[in-house]
Amino acid sequence: MEHSSITTPHVKGTALGRDVSFLYRKEGDSGTLILKWEDGEDHIPDREVIAIVNDPEGKEENEVQPQTILRVVASPSSPEEPKQTFSFHSLPANGLPSAYLNCHRLETAPEHLNVAPNANGSRNLHVVISVRSGVGEAQQFFDDVLIHALAAIEIKKGAYNVHITTSETSIAEITEQLLLPRANDGIPQTVLLLSGDGGIVDTINTLLLSSKTEKYVNPTVCLICMGTGNALANSTGLNQDATRGLRSIFRGSPHSLPTFTARFSPGSVLLTNEGRNTEPLPSSSGHGGIMHGVVVCSWALHASLVADSDTTAYRKFGSQRFQMAAKELMAPEDGSVPHVYNGKITLYRTNDATGEEDPQELTDSNSSYIVVTLVSHFEAKLNISPASKPLDGQLRVLRFGDVSAEDVMRLLGMAMQGGGHEKDEMALYEPVDGVRIQMDEEDARWRR
């Protein structure tokens, strides 16, 4: 893969009202603006930059257009302290290198953020803050970053509605009670969703499982990634910088989001309140429960570790919670062997000649790990499906059969190093059009 390299000559200008010399260096995707002052120098990494915008005060005649660099600075994180704090920085500057401007300039606020209000003045730009997502960073990010970033492109606080979640059903309720009626009236809306993958799933399920009118218009949902794994953001490139998605929201454009449908047998239930309660699944005519997803449908080890770690006690550890739960499942404290999940797996692929789905039932009934996914990464470094491309809409199945705990951890370790696990002889990895999992487990714990 070829990488471009940029090093600009020193350019004299001003920043913060002081004389400065700018130097911009970029190697591949990594770049840094260096500001050399009389008494030292400062560095601004590209990964922190949201955008460069024109100074709203404009310029005097015959003067260079003044610019402002908008950036997000985050505190370091660690396994011991995964929660970060964020600050917003704006740097007024004149004379920035043209190569730097070409990389980051934003001429005007994007159309999806300039959503017209209704005739009665009600606003159609919404901010939803999921306070319990991930390690609880969303509220602080809104207060200290998002408000100021929007104001910098002339979107003041009175131009949008702010909704703060109070329960695990809040996002679904906001979608059903506010977004859906307006969408059915044909009103364009944009939602800035400070959440993880779960917030997106709640939103799309509420919309897709509801009745639509002929005037229906899909809301534009902009994800500001505040979750634990952030699979969707890490797989689409939304989380490739340090702005938690703000750069893409400011400088990108909306795209359709591929989804899949999961159908469940009659009697299946949805676990809530950290697995302590159950609720009936939404159902479709003549079928059992139905749900839609954008990331993954899984069983065996992956489903168990996600369910076991979805508690307040685990969430404080950030993405480490998944590894902690996995280790407990693979090496039970009582010294027993890890559970091997029993069930019949059938893969479906469309026959190009007939257009019909051809089933392939796997001969072995024991599974250690199985995921059916639309995304490449479950976490920033966990490249679970290397062949998946952003928003390509192709389901892929990854399965380990009846293999030892050591081999499961070895294969997942390869995924954490960028891949190779999918080519291992112990792994099944293929594109599919559908998968049927028929569980043969008496204990409900192993049917999650």
Side-chain angles (χ1 to χ4, degrees), residues 79 301 305 308-309 313-331 333 379 409:
L301 175 63
L305 71 87
D308 285 353
S309 67
Y314 267 115
R315 281 185 174 275
K316 65 184 179 182
F317 296 105
S319 60
Q320 289 293 315
R321 70 184 175 100
F322 299 127
Q323 297 180 37
M324 294 166 66
K327 288 178 180 178
E328 291 181 11
L329 287 161
M330 300 306 291
E333 290 184 356
E379 301 174 34
M409 299 310 288

Side-chain angles (χ1 to χ4, degrees), residues 14-16 20-26 29-37 41-52 67-73 87-93 96-97 100 103-104 242-243 247 251:
T14 61
L16 297 172
V20 68
S21 175
F22 297 112
L23 174 66
Y24 182 50
R25 290 177 178 156
K26 184 172 184 180
D29 294 329
S30 178
T32 302
L33 179 70
I34 302 171
L35 295 81
K36 291 183 175 290
W37 315 90
E41 66 180 44
D42 291 313
H43 292 204
I44 299 179
D46 273 1
R47 65 190 311 271
E48 295 179 349
V49 177
I50 303 170
I52 300 172
Q67 314 279 345
T68 300
I69 303 171
L70 312 180
R71 56 193 281 235
V72 178
V73 177
S87 57
F88 175 78
H89 294 241
S90 62
L91 180 73
L96 290 166
Y100 188 65
C103 288
H104 297 295
T243 70
R247 178 189 295 178
R251 291 154 55 189

Side-chain angles (χ1 to χ4, degrees), residues 16 45 166 211 249 275 282 285 327 357 365 443:
L16 297 172
T166 57
S211 299
I249 293 170
S285 178
K327 288 178 180 178
E357 287 189 338
S365 61
D443 190 337

